Amino acid sequence: MVVTWPTSTGAWQRLGEPRRIDPDTIFDYMDGAGELYLAYRFDHLEIAEYSTAGEDPILAEVYLMSSGDDAYGLVSQDWGGEPVALGDGGCRGLYGAGLLRAWCGTRFVRVLATRETTASRAATLRLAETLLAGQRPVPPPALVAALPSTLAGCAQRPGSTVFLRSDLVLNSVYYLSGDNILSLGPSTEAVVASYAPPAPAGAPTVLLLAISYPDGQAAEKALARFVAAYLPEQVGKARPASGILTAKVEDGWLAATRAGRLAVLAFRCPGADLARQAVTEALQTLDTLEAPHA
Amino acid sequence: MPDGRRPITRRDLIGDVAATAAALAVIGPGRLAAAADRPVRRATVTLVRDAALAETRVDVAVLRKTLAETLQGVTGKKSMTEAWLSLVTPTDVIGLVPTDHLNPTHPELIAAVRESLVEAGIPAERVVLAQGGPDKPTACTALIALPALKAHWLTGIGTVLKNYIMFTGQPSAYHRGDNVKLGEIWNAPHVKGKTRLVLVDALRPLCDKGPQPDPRYMWGYGGLIAGTDPVAVETIALAIITAKRTALRGEPWPLSPPPLCVQAADEVYGLGTSRRAEITLDARGWTKDLLVG
């Protein structure tokens, strides 16, 4: 669907025609940032600037993604900001300090007023509504929707859920390695969420990582690669009968397991039992998404 | 891994400095061994702040005054002219290396540096903008690094060391895990020894990683951070970013990915010191929310 670009928003007038940025030109537009959008299967981007006398400009970007999951993934980088409803079609956004991030259908919209004023806020919201016109909200990715709200007695921390496909994004949430040791990529789907143990207050959160690979073989291979890189002391050891690998590492216990094409890992757990329980419970919930395993 | 080397992982980074240094030592065949037991290095970093510079609009007069005090702190000279002439000479071709994306260096600062260099007797045509490909530093005999203070989503911090990435002509060679090698750029033959001053624009830093600027994570700090040791300056910059993130969240909010390039620049590439105990901070001016001590 073609993006409808208004010629004005509030007192701001559009400067020229919108520009189109494709995957092969994105680094010219945003050096050092294009990797994020490519990691979410970005199709193309349209941008336009608006200006008015006495106010700073407003920059609007519309990212057209391959799927609603990818648009959601971009927003999920940061759930902070004031939630805002855009139009009456159910589209939503997050606003803060002059920046609006919004998503609907397969679009992710970013509108930035360089200097926030009452007028720029209104113009920003109105512009986003127009740019998302005709889009319908889509549900969160299935992997995200299926995440349990509690895990081994730990409560999911609000705003901690990130949907991703790339090791670069994973590392920006929870650094594992400079290498892609879990073989993430465009054909994988993954979700990360933090869970707070009931006690003691301030204890490190358990981090759950669930990854859906194209097939069981890819998942098995990826877990083997992870073990070789992250748990070299476990290489060559037989996997426990439970199928759940647990290990104590420098920042707590971790557990890893697989069912079909789904791999589930828990990090920073306070004990081996909790680590095992966390991946078991997660797998029970998430596995309902899968077809029966061969 | 396909090339047989062991990847650096999170596990290598949790523990003491020596353990991390040992991990960094494997960043590539033929590189310098990490030197956790290297000789003591000393560096001084000057930080000058003015509340007036924490505003969105830059007060150019205050900026010039702050720049003069910063140069005085770095060089010990009484005037801006004396300070510049202790760092560069009128026969140098001086390349100013600002950052032009994410959180760009304020043009007012670039202009203030350029104007004060010319006032110090440097011919105007010998002060050039040098951000870009390898030809830029090659054409210069002296460089002044002028990055703005910011976090970065691929490298943790994207201020001093990353500022020269375009000098390689192959920035993609420093992406992903290879960003730990950013320090090697400063040792490249067309770059090594040319940097006379690192001057960080900390007027409005960006403390979260982006990859695009989010004003919620920018704040008025109103400062300039400077020194001749790029690693020491980066270390102070990193301390400010880290403290601001903790203040925002009310709990530790570590940069992710971790800024491994800073310690590697010290332990592997020998560019300067990343050890806070070896750095003397000369802080002047506005003290509110200094974030580093």
Side-chain angles (χ1 to χ4, degrees):
Chain A
M1 189 182 286
V2 176
V3 179
T4 302
W5 284 95
T7 54
S8 64
T9 180
W12 280 257
Q13 302 293 314
R14 196 179 73 209
L15 299 173
E17 291 300 312
R19 287 167 57 201
R20 178 183 167 117
I21 308 291
D22 293 301
D24 56 348
T25 56
I26 192 165
F27 290 104
D28 297 332
Y29 174 62
M30 53 172 89
D31 183 24
E35 292 93 339
L36 176 70
Y37 299 100
L38 296 176
Y40 281 110
R41 305 191 310 177
F42 147 86
D43 184 83
H44 73 276
L45 156 68
E46 295 183 22
I47 56 173
E49 194 170 5
Y50 292 77
S51 73
T52 190
E55 297 264 11
D56 282 8
I58 292 175
L59 174 70
E61 302 172 321
V62 182
Y63 295 83
L64 294 101
M65 313 302 291
S66 299
S67 74
D69 286 358
D70 292 293
Y72 177 95
L74 285 171
V75 177
S76 74
Q77 302 292 299
D78 185 341
W79 290 107
E82 173 197 350
V84 291
L86 298 166
D88 39 17
C91 296
R92 292 182 297 154
L94 294 163
Y95 180 86
L99 175 65
L100 175 70
R101 296 169 299 124
W103 73 105
C104 213
T106 57
R107 289 185 189 173
F108 171 69
V109 168
R110 196 172 177 279
V111 186
L112 174 64
T114 313
R115 190 165 56 92
E116 184 188 30
T117 63
T118 304
S120 76
R121 176 189 161 106
T124 293
L125 297 178
R126 188 175 308 163
L127 179 55
E129 279 182 16
T130 307
L131 296 173
L132 291 172
Q135 296 290 299
R136 289 285 168 264
V138 293
L143 212 49
V144 172
L147 269 185
S149 57
T150 61
L151 206 57
C154 306
Q156 191 183 123
R157 207 167 171 181
S160 71
T161 305
V162 179
F163 176 77
L164 58 97
R165 301 179 187 278
S166 156
D167 61 308
L168 294 177
V169 178
L170 175 61
N171 279 344
S172 76
V173 179
Y174 186 75
Y175 176 84
L176 270 186
S177 172
D179 287 11
N180 185 9
I181 62 174
L182 278 163
S183 303
L184 296 172
S187 63
T188 58
E189 298 177 356
V191 62
V192 174
S194 295
Y195 289 80
T205 54
V206 171
L207 188 118
L208 184 80
L209 169 62
I211 309 165
S212 178
Y213 290 93
D215 53 50
Q217 193 181 10
E220 182 62 30
K221 206 171 160 185
L223 269 189
R225 185 180 189 193
F226 169 77
V227 170
Y230 205 74
L231 302 168
E233 64 275 16
Q234 298 283 338
V235 174
K237 291 185 181 173
R239 197 172 294 181
S242 65
I244 300 173
L245 172 68
T246 54
K248 185 161 188 345
V249 295
E250 289 73 8
D251 62 349
W253 283 85
L254 73 78
T257 190
R258 176 183 83 82
R261 61 188 178 133
L262 199 61
V264 179
L265 302 95
F267 297 90
R268 255 179 355 211
C269 300
D273 290 344
L274 190 143
R276 262 191 296 272
Q277 192 184 344
V279 296
T280 303
E281 289 180 16
L283 203 56
Q284 281 167 357
T285 312
L286 297 170
D287 203 26
T288 58
L289 303 172
E290 298 291 298
H293 307 142
Chain B
M1 294 300 107
D3 59 4
R5 75 189 158 86
R6 187 178 72 83
I8 296 174
T9 73
R10 180 183 196 86
R11 295 186 62 189
D12 295 311
L13 313 180
I14 305 168
D16 60 21
V17 170
T20 306
L24 294 174
V26 300
I27 62 179
R31 302 200 182 282
L32 298 171
D37 57 349
R38 63 156 174 74
V40 171
R41 298 181 181 129
R42 297 286 178 202
T44 297
V45 174
T46 300
L47 165 60
V48 184
R49 298 172 72 217
D50 192 303
L53 294 177
E55 302 299 322
T56 310
R57 309 282 187 209
V58 177
D59 184 324
V60 174
V62 176
L63 180 63
R64 272 191 68 102
K65 178 172 149 289
T66 305
L67 174 61
E69 191 169 354
T70 304
L71 287 167
Q72 185 186 56
V74 172
T75 65
K77 303 295 182 185
K78 286 182 180 169
S79 72
M80 192 129 77
T81 291
E82 285 179 280
W84 277 131
L85 292 178
S86 72
L87 296 167
V88 295
T89 71
T91 57
D92 275 323
V93 176
I94 303 165
L96 309 184
V97 195
T99 305
D100 54 10
H101 64 275
L102 188 55
N103 185 23
T105 309
H106 283 82
E108 295 90 344
L109 178 60
I110 302 168
V113 168
R114 179 195 288 275
E115 287 162 14
S116 57
L117 280 164
V118 172
E119 288 163 12
I122 309 297
E125 66 275 14
R126 288 183 172 271
V127 184
V128 299
L129 285 176
Q131 182 57 273
D135 56 312
K136 299 285 189 182
T138 301
C140 298
T141 58
L143 297 171
I144 297 170
L146 284 171
L149 179 51
K150 60 184 177 296
H152 194 279
W153 87 291
L154 293 175
T155 54
I157 190 163
T159 305
V160 178
L161 295 164
K162 193 171 183 297
N163 196 41
Y164 284 178
I165 192 170
M166 298 306 290
F167 285 178
T168 65
Q170 293 180 305
S172 62
Y174 296 91
H175 288 175
R176 294 186 173 268
D178 288 334
N179 68 65
V180 71
K181 300 188 296 185
L182 282 167
E184 76 178 5
I185 301 167
W186 293 64
N187 282 336
H190 62 301
V191 180
K192 188 172 184 176
K194 290 185 178 178
T195 303
R196 307 295 171 79
L197 178 70
V198 177
L199 176 61
V200 175
D201 172 350
L203 303 183
R204 288 191 67 77
L206 173 65
C207 73
D208 197 29
K209 52 193 177 287
Q212 288 175 282
D214 185 331
R216 288 175 302 149
Y217 302 119
M218 300 179 82
W219 83 103
Y221 187 68
L224 298 177
I225 310 166
T228 54
D229 176 334
V231 189
V233 175
E234 187 91 296
T235 299
I236 294 299
L238 180 58
I240 293 168
I241 290 279
T242 303
K244 182 62 181 180
R245 288 167 63 86
T246 299
L248 275 179
R249 285 276 171 97
E251 61 182 5
W253 183 21
L255 286 166
S256 190
L260 291 175
C261 58
V262 184
Q263 190 179 343
D266 172 344
E267 309 281 354
V268 181
Y269 298 108
L271 291 179
T273 180
S274 64
R275 298 181 188 178
R276 187 63 186 83
E278 294 179 346
I279 301 168
T280 301
L281 178 64
D282 172 17
R284 304 171 179 213
W286 190 38
T287 57
K288 187 182 176 195
D289 298 328
L290 188 63
L291 300 171
V292 63

